[in-house]
Amino acid sequence: MAEPADPSQAIRALAKELDGIPKELRQKLRPALRAAAEPVVQDARSRASWSTRIPRAISMSVRFSRDPGVLIRVRRSVAPHGRAYEGITGASDFVHPVFGHRDREVAEGTRPYLEPAVRAAADNVLATAAGVVEQVAREQGFR
């Protein structure tokens, strides 16, 4: 597989390859993919250490069915403000009511933590994941 320049294209290509992997292979891949993505989760948690709730709201899962790959998310039930601080709309700030004064609003700057962590480790995680996929595939007689 030729290495695409854009990490998101590489992830989509890897996900496409993972889609046809048998169940036995998936059981071997899951812990390896979790281990490859764990540094991203730790980095995101440290980048959000200014918050008491966001770091513990960050979780990771590996799935092989719908949208296969590693999913890193911030649970809204634990940190409802996590999405606003991440700046998912692309804006550099967001508006929210002042505590105790719902008729007043204040603008606050975003403090991205998840996207920078993913970008910082994308090449390393992708290379590790691709290496694990190839190793397990060779062990199982694929390729």
Side-chain angles (χ1 to χ4, degrees):
M1 173 172 104
E3 191 71 28
D6 180 19
S8 63
Q9 288 178 344
I11 291 169
R12 277 192 223 102
L14 181 60
K16 192 173 186 178
E17 285 187 29
L18 291 176
D19 196 35
I21 292 180
K23 186 177 180 180
E24 315 81 55
L25 210 52
R26 293 176 186 196
Q27 289 174 343
K28 289 190 173 202
L29 282 174
R30 189 176 308 278
L33 291 175
R34 284 188 64 82
E38 186 61 34
V40 177
V41 172
Q42 293 305 320
D43 186 22
R45 285 179 178 153
S46 70
R47 289 174 189 264
S49 62
W50 46 265
S51 170
T52 57
R53 294 185 285 172
I54 292 174
R56 61 188 163 103
I58 298 173
S59 64
M60 171 185 39
S61 62
V62 177
R63 33 187 216 196
F64 294 103
S65 55
R66 188 184 77 235
D67 295 330
V70 178
L71 174 68
I72 300 173
R73 64 181 173 180
V74 179
R75 290 187 314 271
R76 190 173 26 198
S77 62
V78 177
H81 58 297
R83 294 172 55 141
Y85 275 111
E86 178 64 25
I88 62 168
T89 63
S92 61
D93 61 350
F94 61 98
V95 177
H96 64 86
V98 176
F99 181 76
H101 301 280
R102 296 230 175 248
D103 57 331
R104 295 185 205 155
E105 291 185 337
V106 64
E108 193 164 347
T110 60
R111 299 171 87 175
Y113 51 91
L114 192 53
E115 183 181 357
V118 170
R119 287 193 184 279
D123 293 338
N124 187 35
V125 170
L126 190 58
T128 302
V132 167
V133 169
E134 288 181 20
Q135 176 188 352
V136 172
R138 274 196 301 274
E139 289 174 2
Q140 296 296 316
F142 298 95
R143 292 194 179 216

